[in-house]
């Protein structure tokens, strides 16, 4: 069957990744978390001390024509100025106080905050206040290259145009105060801003309200000491950057006290006798500004969403590991009790006749080892081995035919029809009441069949899942899969066993009652994960499906990334098909409903949803390392890696495996995990697109030609 898989989604995924990266960079820049001093010569590196006339000048400096001129507020006029806003909490409270006293003020706003709170900026203009530029990210203009200075001022103009439809010709540098406090770099920044048409506004009176000195201190500093005299002044306050409750109360007190003394509170432009500092922006400036505002708002929403997603994913991941460990411990205890109970009984072990079915398609590299291991068993009852060759194009059938002289071994040859049809053909030909399904690349140990069938002494048990082991674990890819099989698959199966909602008996090793197979309607070809589809159907039919950890099956795992991708793509796509096919179990009653409500949500969250969003979380993690607190993120990553290592160590111990494999776990988190996420995305897109996915087989390398450590020796050549 030819595969028709959609390809365009990879371009969409790439574009989405680029858009997400850009959005995160925008948010990082807007948050003032990007480096300030990179990219060329700075004002500080070429700064000369400001001239004496500048340090003795008034608080408003004009160098737009190259000549220094300054201005002071007219007598009786006070211009209250607020830096660092707008803040969605504190700025509206200050606006309420100003409206209460019918006073106006000038707000030196950060462009990023204007873009973040455009409604507050519009209210400022609507109520007659003035907005000046305080840069876009609160950067020290004296310490950045000239291109960054221009960018900071230009972006703030665009944000103002997009939010309010106005521009501004006023600027106040962050970290500046009175003219006497001007530094050489700040003076150079004043001159650079003047070259773009800006008036620099400093202050006469700095209340230092940011330090929360107390309401009385704020009022005293705003009043100029004792609060007497009629001199005009520009007063510096802040409407963002922290708790501004003292500032709000202080402004109320300033307006009450100084208004009673005859002062008038107005904007900077009106106080020095200039036209309003905010002028209408052009249509083009408004359009660009709106794009900037929406872009920053979108980036903030994305960062907020990713932050929440990161937290949810972290909690769910940690909770899952803890729950899995708890269930694994309970399951291990139950297994020990069952074994003790069986050993005390006088009745003989449960060893009914068996039919072992081996579906094979192009398995010449491993089929001989598979058949030999099935014949070299300590199972006391008759064992029938049926090899179903599904139209192989290699020597699979010829190799299997050499064993047909051995009693109980049969070969069925049929045209290629897929694994489900091969399994059904084998089941139809089987004579025993219990059938064991084995992949053609799998090797059993001598006691595997006996251990696998033992739980079926309970007539309620309709199927048993064995414990699949990765045989070719010599390389990094093999070790990754070994960890995944032991930590992920087998821990999950212990939990599913206890909850009676097993979703998958692996094709490598599983035992089934004929009655259970009949209740499921045989092996269906509706999905590519026929083992998952079959297991779900048996669970829904009311049979118990259990996990037997001591029934070991050694399988050859994919040895390359390409082969691994093909295998997991088929698994994941087939699992999605099976979940969709059995979705009705979510609303049913009885054993079907129990299975549906316990298993399907778990699979949907941990095998679909979290992997689907994981690439975005990984991009956000990189963003956090660059722009947030890298120490906290590193500790978080270390915590989850250690938690997984603990889970892995316990799982390996339960399976009797050495712990030295865990050294590849950290690397697995940054390579293998991402590969599995992409597999989920590819599978989901294929399913949504309704594309048909062809049968994928992996190339065998003959792992079992020479047995490795822990694998059974081949049986003698049959005669």
């Amino acid at each position: 069957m030819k595969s028709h898989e959609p390809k365009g989604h990879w371009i969409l995924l790439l574009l989405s990744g680029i858009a997400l990266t850009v959005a995160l960079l925008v948010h990082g820049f807007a948050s003032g978390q990007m480096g300030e001093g990179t990219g060329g010569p700075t004002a500080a590196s070429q700064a000369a001390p400001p001239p004496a006339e500048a340090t003795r000048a008034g608080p408003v400096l004009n160098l737009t024509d190259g000549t220094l001129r300054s201005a002071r507020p007219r007598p009786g006029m006070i211009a209250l100025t607020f830096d660092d806003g707008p803040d969605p909490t504190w700025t509206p409270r200050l606006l309420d106080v100003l409206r209460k006293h019918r006073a106006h003020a000038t707000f030196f706003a950060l462009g990023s905050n204007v873009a973040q709170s455009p409604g507050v900026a519009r209210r400022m203009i609507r109520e007659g206040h003035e907005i000046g530029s305080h840069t876009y990210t609160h950067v020290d203009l004296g310490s950045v290259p000239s291109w960054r200075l221009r960018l900071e001022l230009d972006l703030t103009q665009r944000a103002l145009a997009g939010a309010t439809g106005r521009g501004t010709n006023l600027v106040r540098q962050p970290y500046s105060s009175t003219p006497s406090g001007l530094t050489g770099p700040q003076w150079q920044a004043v001159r650079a801003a003047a070259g773009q048409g800006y008036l620099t506004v400093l202050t006469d009176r700095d209340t230092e309200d940011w330090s929360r000195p107390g309401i009385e201190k704020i009022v005293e500093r705003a009043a100029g000491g004792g609060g007497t005299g009629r001199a005009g002044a520009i007063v510096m306050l802040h409407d963002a950057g922290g708790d501004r409750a003292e500032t709000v109360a202080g402004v109320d007190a300033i307006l009450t006290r100084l208004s009673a003394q005859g002062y008038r509170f107005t904007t900077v432009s009106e106080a020095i006798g200039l036209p309003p500092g905010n002028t209408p922006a052009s249509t083009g400036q408004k359009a660009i500004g709106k794009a900037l505002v929406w872009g920053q708002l979108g980036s903030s929403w994305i960062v907020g969403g990713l932050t929440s997603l990161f937290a949810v994913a972290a909690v769910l991941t940690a909770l899952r590991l803890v729950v899995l460990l708890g269930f694994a411990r309970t399951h291990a205890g139950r297994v020990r009790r069952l074994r003790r109970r069986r050993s005390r009984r006088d009745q003989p072990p449960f060893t009914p006749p068996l039919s072992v079915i081996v579906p094979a398609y192009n398995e010449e590299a491993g089929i001989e080892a598979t058949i030999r291991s099935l014949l070299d068993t300590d199972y006391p009852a008759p064992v029938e081995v049926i090899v179903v060759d599904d139209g192989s194009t290699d020597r699979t059938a010829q190799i299997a035919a050499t064993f047909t002289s051995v009693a109980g071994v049969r070969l069925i040859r049929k045209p290629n029809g897929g694994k489900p049809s091969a399994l059904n053909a084998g089941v139809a030909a089987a004579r025993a009441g219990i059938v064991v399904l084995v992949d053609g690349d799998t090797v059993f140990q001598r006691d595997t069949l006996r251990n696998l069938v033992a739980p079926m002494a309970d007539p309620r048990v309709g199927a048993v899942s064995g414990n699949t082991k990765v045989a070719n674990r010599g390389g990094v890819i093999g070790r990754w899969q070994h960890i995944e099989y032991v930590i992920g698959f087998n821990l999950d199966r212990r939990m599913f066993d206890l909850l009676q909602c097993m979703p998958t008996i692996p094709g490598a090793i599983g035992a089934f009652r004929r009655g259970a197979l009949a209740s499921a309607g045989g092996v269906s070809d509706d999905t590519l994960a026929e083992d998952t589809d079959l297991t779900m159907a048996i669970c829904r039919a009311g049979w118990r499906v259990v996990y037997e950890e001591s029934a070991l099956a050694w399988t050859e795992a994919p040895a390359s990334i390409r082969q691994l991708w093909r295998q997991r793509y088929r698994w994941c796509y087939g699992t999605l098909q099976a979940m969709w096919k059995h979705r009705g179990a979510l609303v049913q009653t009885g054993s079907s409903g129990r299975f549906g409500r316990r298993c399907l949500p778990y699979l949907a969250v941990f095998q679909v949803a979290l992997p689907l969003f994981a690439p975005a979380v990984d991009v956000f993690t990189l963003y956090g390392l660059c722009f947030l607190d890298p120490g906290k993120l590193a500790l978080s990553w270390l915590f989850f890696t250690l938690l997984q290592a603990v889970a892995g160590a316990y799982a390996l111990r339960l399976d009797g495996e050495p712990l030295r494999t865990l050294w590849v776990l950290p690397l697995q988190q940054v390579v293998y995990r991402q590969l599995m996420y992409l597999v989920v995305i590819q599978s989901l897109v294929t399913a949504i697109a309704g594309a048909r996915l062809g049968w994928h087989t992996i190339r065998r390398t003959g792992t079992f030609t020479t047995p490795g450590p822990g694998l059974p020796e081949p049986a003698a050549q049959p005669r």
Side-chain angles (χ1 to χ4, degrees), residues 82 94 209-210 218 237-239 244-252:
F82 299 92
L94 286 167
D209 61 319
W210 53 268
I218 292 175
L237 300 122
H238 298 79
D239 62 328
R244 293 290 172 253
E246 280 190 9
T247 301
V248 174
V251 169
D252 194 15

Side-chain angles (χ1 to χ4, degrees), residues 82-96 98-99 105-132 159-160 162-166 239-240 278 293 297:
F82 299 92
D83 291 1
D84 300 345
D87 180 275
T89 299
W90 300 109
T91 304
R93 297 186 187 184
L94 286 167
L95 291 173
D96 291 341
L98 292 168
R99 182 171 57 185
T106 299
F107 291 83
F108 287 96
L110 296 176
S112 59
N113 285 348
V114 170
Q116 198 67 35
S117 303
V120 180
R122 285 192 290 270
R123 179 182 171 184
M124 293 175 182
I125 296 296
R126 187 170 61 248
E127 296 184 359
H129 304 291
E130 188 173 53
I131 301 179
L160 281 173
T164 68
R166 305 293 181 91
D239 62 328
N278 295 122
V293 169
L297 284 173

Side-chain angles (χ1 to χ4, degrees), residues 66-356:
T67 303
L68 173 62
R69 289 172 292 167
S70 68
R72 298 179 185 275
R74 290 174 289 181
M77 289 191 174
I78 292 180
L80 296 180
T81 62
F82 299 92
D83 291 1
D84 300 345
D87 180 275
T89 299
W90 300 109
T91 304
R93 297 186 187 184
L94 286 167
L95 291 173
D96 291 341
V97 172
L98 292 168
R99 182 171 57 185
K100 167 187 168 184
H101 291 273
R102 296 178 181 173
H104 294 129
T106 299
F107 291 83
F108 287 96
L110 296 176
S112 59
N113 285 348
V114 170
Q116 198 67 35
S117 303
V120 180
R122 285 192 290 270
R123 179 182 171 184
M124 293 175 182
I125 296 296
R126 187 170 61 248
E127 296 184 359
H129 304 291
E130 188 173 53
I131 301 179
S133 173
H134 200 48
T135 74
Y136 198 79
T137 65
H138 203 269
V139 69
D140 183 356
L141 293 181
S143 68
V144 297
S146 56
W147 67 264
R148 178 72 182 273
L149 183 147
R150 291 192 299 272
L151 179 65
E152 291 281 338
L153 297 179
D154 288 347
L155 286 177
T156 303
Q157 287 283 14
R158 301 295 182 268
L160 281 173
T164 68
R166 305 293 181 91
T168 185
N169 65 349
L170 304 178
V171 65
R172 173 178 284 165
Q173 297 183 48
Y175 313 108
S176 65
S177 183
T178 62
S180 62
L182 274 176
T183 64
Q186 288 175 339
W187 172 246
Q188 295 297 332
V190 169
R191 296 177 60 184
Q196 298 187 53
Y198 287 94
L199 305 180
T200 293
V201 180
L202 300 171
T203 188
D204 292 303
R205 303 169 186 171
D206 186 353
T207 63
E208 298 184 5
D209 61 319
W210 53 268
S211 65
R212 302 181 196 172
I215 296 172
E216 287 303 317
K217 203 69 174 178
I218 292 175
V219 175
E220 179 184 334
R221 291 169 179 171
T228 60
R230 296 284 301 162
I234 295 177
V235 177
M236 180 185 290
L237 300 122
H238 298 79
D239 62 328
D243 188 335
R244 293 290 172 253
E246 280 190 9
T247 301
V248 174
V251 169
D252 194 15
I254 291 168
L255 292 170
T256 301
R257 186 176 304 178
L258 298 188
S259 293
Q261 297 177 13
Y263 283 97
R264 182 183 169 207
F265 292 88
T266 186
T267 64
V268 168
S269 295
E270 186 177 1
I272 63 176
L274 291 179
N278 295 122
T279 55
S282 67
T283 302
Q285 290 172 331
K286 291 178 183 178
I288 296 173
K290 287 185 181 297
L292 175 63
V293 169
W294 281 107
Q296 187 177 321
L297 284 173
S299 71
S300 296
W301 294 334
I302 290 173
V303 170
L306 287 177
T307 301
S308 300
L309 183 61
F310 186 88
V312 170
V315 170
L316 287 177
T317 301
L319 185 62
R320 174 177 179 259
L321 286 174
V322 172
V323 169
L324 284 177
L325 288 175
F327 275 110
R329 187 172 185 274
T330 303
H331 184 271
R334 190 187 73 170
V335 168
R336 286 193 297 270
R337 290 192 298 272
L338 285 174
R339 287 174 181 168
R340 286 196 298 267
R341 200 175 304 146
R342 289 171 187 165
S343 65
R344 295 193 193 105
R345 293 173 181 170
D346 295 331
Q347 62 187 36
F350 182 73
T351 54
L354 297 179
S355 293
V356 182

Side-chain angles (χ1 to χ4, degrees), residues 363-397:
E363 297 285 1
E364 67 177 3
I367 190 65
E368 179 178 351
T370 298
I371 298 173
R372 287 184 184 278
S373 72
L374 294 173
L375 295 176
D376 184 30
T377 178
D378 63 3
Y379 195 77
V383 176
E384 175 188 40
V385 178
I386 303 174
V387 180
V388 182
D389 178 68
D390 191 41
S392 297
T393 58
D394 62 1
R395 297 179 57 251
T396 299

